[in-house]
Amino acid sequence: LIIDGYNLIFAWDELKNLARERLDLARTRLMDMLSNYAGFTQSELVLVFDGFRTPGNPGSRQAYHNIHVVFTRDGETGDAYIEKIANEIGKNYSVRVITSDNLIRLSALRSGVLRCSSGEFIHQLEWTLNQMAELLEKTNQNAHKTRVKDGKQ
């Protein structure tokens, strides 16, 4: 998965509201949710944030738990970065680009890469996170029942 980070944040009401107050917290919240999603779905995930208009910004690439996070450098748009890597890796791997930006979606189509709007992905992500929560709840209930049965409460 290649995800347009700011596009996803501002398509999601919860994160958009948080970003109005603290953009850094919205990014971290998104990174945490995507890390959980990637671990549960066994997906390789690249999250791209646009640093285009940040003077002197050298950009960065870092691992955040089990996902890759990219902040583009000054003068490099997130869109251009997404297009470049989608074109590079889309030839050899099954890749899906997550964005509602129509130009990136068109570019992904030309590269033979699957596309998904931010809104569609938000629904998928929420569904997956709910499945994870239900699974954890069942696991905790079963563990509690076992402890009670064994007298180890």
Side-chain angles (χ1 to χ4, degrees), residues 7-9 12 37 40-41 50 54 64 67 82 94 119 123 125 137 140 149:
N7 189 275
L8 191 57
I9 285 174
W12 200 337
Y37 176 87
F40 189 75
T41 61
D50 194 323
T54 311
Y64 183 82
I67 65 174
I82 290 169
S94 176
H123 292 298
L125 180 57
E137 180 65 27
N140 289 338
K149 180 179 145 195

Side-chain angles (χ1 to χ4, degrees), residues 12 14 37 121-131:
W12 200 337
E14 172 191 340
Y37 176 87
F121 185 73
I122 289 166
H123 292 298
Q124 292 174 18
L125 180 57
E126 288 176 330
W127 184 86
T128 301
L129 295 175
N130 285 334
Q131 294 299 307

Side-chain angles (χ1 to χ4, degrees), residues 3 5-6 9 27 30-31 47-51 69-72 78:
I3 298 178
Y6 289 129
I9 285 174
R27 280 192 306 255
L30 178 62
M31 290 164 35
L47 178 62
V48 179
F49 291 107
D50 194 323
V69 180
V70 174
F71 289 89
T72 64

Side-chain angles (χ1 to χ4, degrees), residues 17-115:
N17 292 335
L18 181 57
R20 286 185 186 127
E21 300 291 321
R22 295 277 310 269
L23 184 58
D24 59 327
L25 291 180
R27 280 192 306 255
T28 300
R29 175 81 175 114
L30 178 62
M31 290 164 35
D32 287 339
M33 288 188 289
L34 291 175
S35 177
N36 289 335
Y37 176 87
F40 189 75
T41 61
Q42 299 295 299
S43 301
E44 187 81 17
L45 194 147
V46 179
L47 178 62
V48 179
F49 291 107
D50 194 323
F52 177 70
R53 292 186 181 153
T54 311
N57 173 24
S60 68
R61 279 104 178 110
Q62 63 190 43
Y64 183 82
H65 303 300
N66 56 336
I67 65 174
H68 308 279
V69 180
V70 174
F71 289 89
T72 64
R73 68 188 188 299
D74 180 22
E76 178 183 32
T77 66
D79 295 357
Y81 185 86
I82 290 169
E83 287 179 38
K84 181 179 82 175
I85 64 169
N87 192 41
E88 288 173 3
I89 63 178
K91 296 172 185 164
N92 299 314
Y93 299 96
S94 176
V95 175
R96 185 165 51 139
V97 171
I98 311 302
T99 185
S100 291
D101 184 305
N102 287 327
L103 289 176
I104 298 174
R105 290 168 55 97
L106 182 60
S107 174
L109 176 65
R110 285 192 301 259
S111 297
V113 172
L114 299 172
R115 291 111 22 242

